[in-house]
Amino acid sequence: MVSLRFPFSFSQPPTPKPPNASTSSSFSTSATTACSVAAVCGAGIAAGLALSQTPANPLYGNAFSSLLSNLLLNTSHFSPMWGSLSLSGSSASVAEPKTGMSFPSVLKDSQRLLGIGLRKKAVLGLKNIDVYAFGVYADDGDIKKVLTEKYGALSAAELKEKKELREDLMESDVSMTIRLQIVYGRLSIQSVRSAFQESVGNRLRKFGGPNNKELLERFTSQFKDEYKIPRGSIIDLSRDQGYVLRTTIDGQEVGSIQSKPLCRSIIDLYIGDEPFDQKAKEDVQKNLAHVLQK
């Protein structure tokens, strides 16, 4: 059994203030006391309530997170939460707020969720469609092993402003996974292949030089026409030790390529200087700082 502490610090819309908050002062003290006792006594029951799965709590769509939210006894604002999870049977997850796509807090026993975001694409220059939600994961132990010597003495506030921290994460041999969950139900595998040819191709020219057409073709050819990707399908792009990019579609491995420039190009799409989702990149930076401060 492995236990990890990790921050649930992800961007989300503010929670609206209860409409009757200004009229409750006459009984606030007794109510707070009663609620505190009830929250502790009812912890076991609250963890099983289906209420935690409702759209009213889109970011923490699991019973564990709902319980923590109730124990805070404060609905007027959001504060980053820290949870201690036992991975022996935990199914804790975090949802992308707009689409509701849910991402496990931990992959492969040790890869921690650092940020979630949304890939959008303009159609005819007029309308943006939500193509897929994505989650960025990195191995907890690898982060500390590779980055602590350089950044361990810095405060969390300093780390959040260090652009070099993300650069070193992308350049290093830290095990990472970019998980894509398809949102647009009419997306074809041919469209995915074409999009990667453009976006990854641009990054490969930046990080690997102009002579990478064969490498790009090896990567994009993994997305064969026979693969179907309806809404909810999962594509994992994982950087394994030794700069091996491993691609899986709905749990089935479709290929692996050893290439540092290719790994860097993929990760740069999501946390580089021009990411698909700026908020996701900022969340990765903040949560990476939290890992190094543990």
Side-chain angles (χ1 to χ4, degrees), residues 180-193 222-236 248-252 254:
L180 318 180
Q181 288 204 55
I182 305 303
V183 174
Y184 185 57
R186 298 173 64 184
L187 186 68
S188 67
I189 198 72
Q190 293 91 340
S191 297
V192 172
R193 187 168 60 235
Q222 296 176 145
F223 300 92
K224 302 182 185 302
D225 289 347
E226 61 260 31
Y227 297 131
K228 306 301 180 184
I229 49 171
R231 178 181 172 89
S233 296
I234 294 175
I235 300 174
D236 282 345
T248 64
I249 299 178
D250 286 333
Q252 177 185 351
V254 298

Side-chain angles (χ1 to χ4, degrees), residues 4-12 59-66 68-69 72 78-85 90-95 103-106 112-116 283 286-287 290:
L4 291 179
R5 272 180 66 84
F6 61 93
F8 287 94
S9 181
F10 301 99
S11 303
Q12 68 164 338
L59 186 59
Y60 303 100
N62 60 84
F64 178 76
S65 300
S66 178
L68 286 179
S69 299
L72 288 178
F78 169 78
S79 299
M81 294 190 293
W82 286 81
S84 183
L85 287 186
S90 173
S91 59
S93 60
V94 180
F103 293 84
S105 298
V106 178
R112 170 199 305 270
L113 179 62
L114 297 178
I116 51 178
D283 283 342
K286 289 186 294 184
N287 290 318
H290 280 302

Side-chain angles (χ1 to χ4, degrees), residues 39 41-52 62-64 66-67 70:
C41 294
I45 299 173
L49 290 179
L51 180 62
S52 62
N62 60 84
F64 178 76
S66 178
L67 173 60
N70 291 335

Side-chain angles (χ1 to χ4, degrees), residues 33-280:
T33 302
C35 288
S36 298
V37 174
V40 174
C41 294
I45 299 173
L49 290 179
L51 180 62
S52 62
Q53 303 299 329
T54 63
N57 189 12
L59 186 59
Y60 303 100
N62 60 84
F64 178 76
S65 300
S66 178
L67 173 60
L68 286 179
S69 299
N70 291 335
L71 291 177
L72 288 178
L73 297 177
N74 188 348
T75 58
S76 62
H77 67 279
F78 169 78
S79 299
M81 294 190 293
W82 286 81
S84 183
L85 287 186
S86 171
L87 302 185
S88 58
S90 173
S91 59
S93 60
V94 180
E96 194 286 314
K98 184 177 180 183
T99 64
M101 289 294 178
S102 183
F103 293 84
S105 298
V106 178
L107 281 182
K108 303 177 182 178
D109 293 331
S110 60
Q111 288 192 12
R112 170 199 305 270
L113 179 62
L114 297 178
I116 51 178
L118 190 59
R119 172 67 165 124
K120 299 181 180 181
K121 186 69 175 178
V123 178
L124 301 177
L126 300 175
K127 178 182 178 182
N128 279 328
I129 63 171
D130 300 332
V131 182
Y132 59 79
F134 64 86
V136 179
Y137 295 81
D139 186 273
D140 209 57
D142 286 354
I143 290 173
K144 294 176 183 177
K145 179 181 178 181
V146 174
L147 301 177
T148 295
E149 182 177 354
K150 182 175 181 179
Y151 297 104
L154 300 180
S155 68
E158 290 173 319
L159 289 171
K160 290 174 185 177
E161 301 301 322
K162 278 280 185 183
K163 176 184 175 181
E164 296 90 345
L165 180 58
R166 280 185 300 100
E167 291 290 331
D168 286 343
L169 177 66
M170 289 188 286
E171 278 291 318
S172 70
D173 201 18
V174 171
S175 295
M176 295 185 66
T177 296
I178 309 296
R179 168 161 288 192
L180 318 180
Q181 288 204 55
I182 305 303
V183 174
Y184 185 57
R186 298 173 64 184
L187 186 68
S188 67
I189 198 72
Q190 293 91 340
S191 297
V192 172
R193 187 168 60 235
S194 176
F196 277 139
Q197 283 176 338
E198 178 182 357
S199 59
V200 177
N202 290 337
R203 261 63 172 193
L204 274 176
R205 285 188 288 274
K206 178 179 179 180
F207 300 118
N211 301 318
N212 283 290
K213 290 184 178 180
E214 182 181 348
L215 177 60
L216 178 62
E217 177 63 25
R218 284 178 61 199
F219 171 65
T220 57
S221 66
Q222 296 176 145
F223 300 92
K224 302 182 185 302
D225 289 347
E226 61 260 31
Y227 297 131
K228 306 301 180 184
I229 49 171
R231 178 181 172 89
S233 296
I234 294 175
I235 300 174
D236 282 345
L237 304 171
S238 299
R239 178 176 69 186
D240 293 345
Q241 291 289 321
Y243 298 100
V244 175
L245 182 72
R246 196 174 307 279
T247 305
T248 64
I249 299 178
D250 286 333
Q252 177 185 351
E253 183 175 329
V254 298
S256 61
I257 302 171
Q258 196 282 327
S259 170
K260 183 176 180 179
L262 180 59
C263 290
R264 171 63 195 267
S265 297
I266 294 293
I267 297 171
D268 189 81
L269 295 173
Y270 302 93
I271 61 173
D273 290 337
E274 298 179 3
F276 289 149
D277 190 315
Q278 181 67 25
K279 285 292 186 183

